[in-house]
């Protein structure tokens, strides 16, 4: 009752800003600190972000530019997700040392393994440079000047609000990062794709690294002389956990949101783009799953590919349901109607919406085709292999074989074949070409149909001819073929047709992350956002996520999943054990975890939950997060670490377009489970000894 009343009041008073929505720039956190403190935060704006003294931002890192991590000791110890460390762990693994399967624990500094290619970035400072740009300096000049300020500095000028403001971000980049610990995948990926984007959840999605620096504590390339980095600040860990309703804050690098797009763009996502991508991926996933079912070798070969296809696939399904449920397009259209009425007598804005609508109308079809190309022909692996074989052969002929000149490329190439099944790929190729004919406006594009006609007229005959003739179906046949045969491979022609260039079947439109990023549309958002701020001054504007550092805050919170079904915000080891099933790959936990549960001797990190002693495993909160927030620290009111963010619930993924505080939840692994696994499964108590535990 109280909640409904509050929601009602908020709808009346808070205009379009909801309680826990927002991804705020840490350098401007002063503007939010009053609200944060009213919700329970105990620290100051200076504690969150300060240039002059150590602050929380000094303990948050971008992991490789695609995830987030947090420093938890004065010796550069770093926590992130297992799925973020995954590529590095995989690269360090071999048949004899399969760290993905069995986990890895360095029992001393000397056992820590350099994760080549993995870097982390720590924000030195951010500042607005809108005026400097207006005065004639270029973004490149501003960034270059900032990079000269210190060793290993990297800088970038990033647009906010579609370029109405620009901010300079200066980072210190560390390239010597070493793997310290990882749980076995049966803990780190527990639940696999079955539980991905789901609640209740029991995934121990964490891994441990350490940042190394030169002896004078500066960024340096890998060297045995390097020493553990001494950070300005590290997070203390709270072993007390957080009750439902307690304040939480997330500090990390969210990748991409589209809060301000027009109803036209929402409709495109909801009715055209997502449904097409979901349908095509459902078909591909069904084929892959059937092949995996039939052959254990294919199961392993296609595990990572399945995960990569399934992850966005499930997210999009939730997004469509969420947008429908919220009526986002209708609400936006209504908002736009009111905006248009307001703009009618303002010459600079009066025709803005019409121009935007016209730009959408012109770009939607070619962009849809670009997305279709990306989901069909570009997924055919044989075409990629044929291209790689030819490039590799030509490099060898030129005297620079990949095996010597480009070992990374050679390794990737070998992996492509290790994980390849030509029979399955052939079925997938047929599937996506049928999909192309189904979704391409007007049916199969002419250029593609010509190829098919030459092969006898049916898609299946065309694909069979390709796979029967191509030397690239296996590494052995590719090695045996001469260069002329590799160059004459008919599948290379297919690759060309599915390029975005003029030879392709597209309409000359490059693929971009979103339709609204197409330049002919995007340019209008700058005046539109300026106008919105004048039209709707009560709205709490925050810039869309763009992989820059942000703060989100809210509370630990469950949600109403369905009528009569409330989802509590916490899961436990007991629930994990209840799911344990050695016959199901995704739910087969290590014996050591079963033994730990049977012993009931959990050690320091257990808690009394609903009257029984257990280990908390995952929890929910209502912070606004998105891709890139994986690995982000989840902090309590005192800025202590209580969890590591790693997912959202799938029905809440429309939050990238519209956030709903009633339903949108992020998922974190509870730090007490992380500590338990490090301590009792990994036997790496030395890592806990160097943390600051409260
Ligand atoms: N859904 C999470 C994210 O978007 C986790 C993905 C990795 N896990 C998986 N089972 N595929 O990154
Ligand atoms: N797993 C996602 C990531 O890698 C986070 C999930 C999401 O919120 O999109 O960043």
């Amino acid at each position: 009752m109280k909640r409904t009343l509050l929601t009602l009041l908020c709808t009346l008073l808070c205009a379009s800003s909801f309680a826990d929505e927002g991804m705020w720039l840490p350098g401007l956190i002063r503007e939010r600190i009053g609200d944060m403190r009213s919700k329970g935060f105990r620290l100051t704006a200076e504690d969150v972000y300060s240039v002059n003294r150590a602050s929380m931002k000094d303990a948050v890192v971008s992991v490789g530019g695609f995830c987030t991590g947090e420093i938890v000791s004065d010796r550069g110890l770093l926590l992130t997700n297992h799925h973020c460390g995954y590529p590095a762990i995989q690269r360090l693994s071999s048949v004899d040392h399969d760290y993905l399967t069995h986990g890895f624990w360095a029992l001393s500094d000397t056992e820590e393994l350099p994760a080549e290619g993995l870097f982390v970035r720590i924000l030195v400072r951010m500042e607005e440079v809108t005026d400097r740009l207006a005065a004639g300096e270029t973004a490149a000049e501003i960034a270059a000047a900032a990079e000269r300020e210190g060793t290993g500095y990297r800088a970038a000028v990033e647009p906010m609000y579609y370029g109405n403001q620009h901010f300079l971000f200066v980072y210190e980049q560390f390239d010597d990062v070493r793997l310290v610990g990882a749980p076995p995948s049966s803990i780190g990926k527990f639940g696999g794709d079955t539980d991905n984007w789901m609640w209740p959840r029991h995934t121990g999605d964490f891994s441990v690294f350490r940042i190394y620096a030169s002896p004078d504590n500066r960024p340096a390339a890998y060297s045995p002389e390097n020493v553990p980095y001494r950070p300005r600040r590290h997070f203390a860990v709270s072993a007390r956990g957080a009750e439902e309703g307690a304040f939480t804050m997330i500090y990390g690098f969210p990748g991409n949101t589209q809060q301000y797009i027009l109803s036209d763009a929402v409709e495109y996502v909801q009715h055209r783009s997502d449904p097409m991508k979901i349908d095509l991926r459902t078909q591909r996933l069904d084929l892959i799953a059937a092949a995996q079912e039939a052959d254990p070798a294919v199961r392993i070969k296609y595990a990572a590919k399945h995960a990569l296809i399934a992850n966005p696939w499930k997210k999009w399904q939730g997004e469509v349901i969420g947008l429908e449920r919220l009526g986002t397009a209708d609400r936006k259209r209504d908002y736009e109607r009111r905006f248009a009425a307001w703009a009618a007598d303002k010459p600079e804005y009066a025709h803005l919406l019409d121009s935007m609508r016209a730009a959408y109308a012109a770009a939607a079809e070619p962009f849809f085709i670009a997305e279709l190309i990306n989901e069909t022909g570009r997924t055919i692996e044989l075409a990629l292999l044929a291209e790689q074989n030819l490039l590799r052969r030509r490099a060898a002929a030129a005297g620079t074989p990949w095996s010597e000149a480009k070992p990374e490329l050679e390794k990737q190439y070998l992996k492509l074949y290790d994980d390849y099944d030509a029979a399955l790929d052939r079925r997938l190729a047929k599937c996506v070409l049928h999909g192309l004919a189904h979704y391409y406006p007007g049916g199969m594009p002419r250029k593609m149909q010509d190829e098919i006609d030459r092969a006898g007229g049916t898609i299946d005959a065309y694909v069979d001819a390709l796979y029967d003739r191509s030397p690239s179906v296996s590494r052995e046949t590719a090695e045996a073929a001469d260069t002329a045969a590799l160059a004459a491979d008919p599948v290379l022609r297919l690759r060309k047709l599915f390029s975005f260039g003029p030879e392709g079947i597209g309409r000359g439109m490059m693929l971009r992350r979103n339709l609204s990023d197409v330049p002919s549309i995007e340019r209008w958002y700058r005046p539109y956002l300026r106008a919105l701020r004048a039209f709707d001054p009560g709205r709490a504007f925050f810039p869309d996520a763009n992989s820059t550092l942000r703060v989100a805050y809210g509370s630990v919170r469950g949600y109403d999943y369905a009528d009569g079904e409330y989802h509590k915000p916490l899961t436990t080891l007991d629930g994990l054990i209840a799911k344990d099933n050695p016959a199901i790959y995704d739910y087969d936990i290590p014996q050591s975890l079963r033994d730990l549960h049977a012993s009931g001797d959990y050690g320091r990190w257990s808690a009394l939950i609903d009257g029984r002693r257990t280990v908390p495993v995952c929890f929910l909160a209502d912070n606004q997060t998105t891709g890139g927030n994986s690995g982000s620290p989840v902090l309590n009111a005192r800025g202590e670490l209580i969890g590591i963010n790693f997912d959202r619930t799938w029905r809440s993924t429309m939050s990238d377009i519209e956030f709903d505080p009633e339903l949108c939840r992020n998922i974190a692994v509870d730090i007490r489970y992380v500590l338990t696994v490090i301590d009792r499964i990994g036997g790496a108590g030395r890592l806990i000894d160097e943390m600051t535990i409260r």
Side-chain angles (χ1 to χ4, degrees), residues 66-67 81 83-84 197 311 315 625-630 645-648:
F66 57 89
C67 275
N81 289 146
H83 80 262
C84 297
W197 300 109
N311 192 45
K315 184 201 144 161
T625 56
T626 188
N629 269 127
S630 273
N645 188 69
F646 71 96
D647 211 358
R648 274 176 292 171

Side-chain angles (χ1 to χ4, degrees), residues 23 66-68 81 83-84 196-197 201 205 253-255 311 315 623-632 645-649 652-653 655-656 665-667:
M23 299 174 163
F66 57 89
C67 275
T68 306
N81 289 146
H83 80 262
C84 297
N196 192 26
W197 300 109
R201 192 67 160 276
D205 198 344
F253 291 86
N311 192 45
K315 184 201 144 161
N623 304 295
Q624 187 173 4
T625 56
T626 188
N629 269 127
S630 273
S632 298
N645 188 69
F646 71 96
D647 211 358
R648 274 176 292 171
T649 60
S652 67
T653 52
S655 66
D656 291 350
R665 297 293 178 269
N666 62 302
I667 305 177

Side-chain angles (χ1 to χ4, degrees), residues 331-480:
R331 280 153 62 133
K332 290 217 174 217
R333 214 174 297 107
D334 188 55
Y335 187 74
E336 287 152 19
R337 221 171 279 127
R338 283 183 280 131
F339 171 82
W342 169 88
D345 62 354
K346 299 178 181 62
E348 354 78 279
Y349 300 135
H351 300 288
L352 199 49
L353 279 184
D354 290 340
S355 304
M356 295 176 83
R357 296 236 143 91
Y360 273 111
E365 190 90 324
F367 188 76
F368 178 80
I369 292 171
E371 289 202 288
L372 180 61
I373 288 172
N374 197 50
E375 290 293 318
T376 55
R378 291 188 74 77
T379 68
I380 297 174
E381 281 188 85
L382 182 64
L384 175 69
L385 286 167
E387 192 178 72
Q388 294 284 303
N389 278 321
L390 188 59
L391 289 172
R392 181 168 173 270
R393 179 66 61 80
R394 286 188 174 149
T400 51
W402 285 0
S403 49
E404 286 157 32
K406 298 187 170 155
E408 260 314 302
L409 218 57
E410 177 76 3
K411 219 173 150 182
Q412 277 171 30
Y413 167 83
L414 295 176
K415 180 101 183 105
L416 278 177
Y417 269 118
D418 285 346
D419 290 347
Y420 186 64
D421 186 89
L424 173 56
D425 193 42
R426 183 192 293 239
R427 289 196 288 279
L428 289 167
K430 289 175 183 171
C431 166
V432 296
L433 290 184
H434 283 287
L436 178 72
H438 178 76
Y439 282 107
Y440 202 93
M444 190 61 104
R446 191 68 253 158
K447 284 185 200 169
M448 189 69 230
Q449 190 58 50
D450 288 346
E451 298 292 316
I452 293 168
D453 288 345
R454 271 197 283 280
T458 71
I459 289 172
D460 291 4
Y462 164 73
V463 171
D464 282 331
L466 284 185
Y467 282 73
D468 289 345
R469 255 176 253 158
S470 172
S472 291
V473 284
S474 76
R475 197 148 78 82
E476 294 68 38
T477 47
E479 300 273 347

Side-chain angles (χ1 to χ4, degrees), residues 96-407:
D96 296 336
H97 300 283
D98 184 353
Y99 303 137
L100 281 178
T101 304
H102 304 297
F104 170 79
W105 302 99
L107 297 181
S108 68
D109 285 4
T110 51
E111 288 180 19
E112 298 176 358
L113 301 173
E116 234 182 293
L118 184 64
F119 65 84
V120 300
R121 286 180 171 181
I122 302 172
L123 185 68
V124 176
R125 65 188 159 85
M126 57 172 289
E127 69 191 46
E128 184 164 8
V129 293
T130 316
D131 291 346
R132 286 171 69 181
L133 289 170
E137 268 184 282
T138 68
E141 285 162 2
I142 294 174
E147 289 188 351
R148 283 193 293 272
E149 289 170 18
T151 313
Y153 274 30
R154 294 284 194 290
V157 172
E158 305 285 358
M160 302 290 162
Y161 304 108
Y162 293 91
N164 281 301
Q165 288 172 270
H166 283 84
F167 283 80
L168 168 70
F169 290 82
V170 185
Y171 303 94
E172 213 171 2
Q173 176 170 320
F174 294 85
D175 293 306
D176 187 353
V177 179
R178 303 188 193 171
L179 177 64
V180 174
S185 287
S186 51
I187 288 177
K189 271 196 70 163
F190 179 82
D193 280 344
T194 316
D195 282 8
N196 192 26
W197 300 109
M198 305 281 263
W199 188 259
R201 192 67 160 276
H202 301 86
T203 311
D205 198 344
F206 79 95
S207 57
V208 192
F209 290 83
R210 192 188 302 281
I211 307 170
Y212 278 75
S214 64
D216 60 353
N217 209 34
R218 298 279 158 73
Y222 169 79
S223 158
E225 254 72 275
N226 286 350
V227 296
Y229 169 61
R230 295 182 300 284
R232 294 225 293 175
R233 173 73 193 265
H234 69 271
F235 286 116
V237 170
S238 169
R240 282 193 301 263
E243 298 285 299
E244 179 155 24
F247 177 91
T248 59
M249 165 179 155
I250 295 222
Y251 213 147
F253 291 86
N256 180 247
T257 60
Q258 309 185 74
Q259 310 285 322
Y260 303 105
I261 53 173
L262 293 195
S263 54
D264 305 55
V266 176
E267 277 169 351
Y268 174 80
V269 168
Q270 184 179 347
H271 299 304
R272 292 209 75 189
S273 173
D274 281 1
M276 176 269 286
K277 294 186 291 192
I278 292 164
D279 175 30
L280 291 172
R281 287 190 182 212
T282 302
Q283 297 182 37
R284 286 163 68 206
L285 287 167
D286 285 348
L287 287 173
I288 293 171
Q292 286 180 314
E293 204 62 34
D295 181 354
V298 174
R299 224 213 76 74
I300 295 165
K301 285 180 179 184
Y302 277 70
K305 292 180 204 173
H306 188 282
L308 278 176
I309 300 167
N311 192 45
W313 166 78
K314 206 157 175 181
K315 184 201 144 161
W316 292 325
Q317 293 176 55
E319 186 170 72
V320 169
I321 293 174
L323 291 172
E324 254 162 40
R325 175 179 169 279
L326 283 178
T328 302
D330 285 345
R331 280 153 62 133
K332 290 217 174 217
R333 214 174 297 107
D334 188 55
Y335 187 74
E336 287 152 19
R337 221 171 279 127
R338 283 183 280 131
F339 171 82
W342 169 88
D345 62 354
K346 299 178 181 62
E348 354 78 279
Y349 300 135
H351 300 288
L352 199 49
L353 279 184
D354 290 340
S355 304
M356 295 176 83
R357 296 236 143 91
Y360 273 111
E365 190 90 324
F367 188 76
F368 178 80
I369 292 171
E371 289 202 288
L372 180 61
I373 288 172
N374 197 50
E375 290 293 318
T376 55
R378 291 188 74 77
T379 68
I380 297 174
E381 281 188 85
L382 182 64
L384 175 69
L385 286 167
E387 192 178 72
Q388 294 284 303
N389 278 321
L390 188 59
L391 289 172
R392 181 168 173 270
R393 179 66 61 80
R394 286 188 174 149
T400 51
W402 285 0
S403 49
E404 286 157 32
K406 298 187 170 155

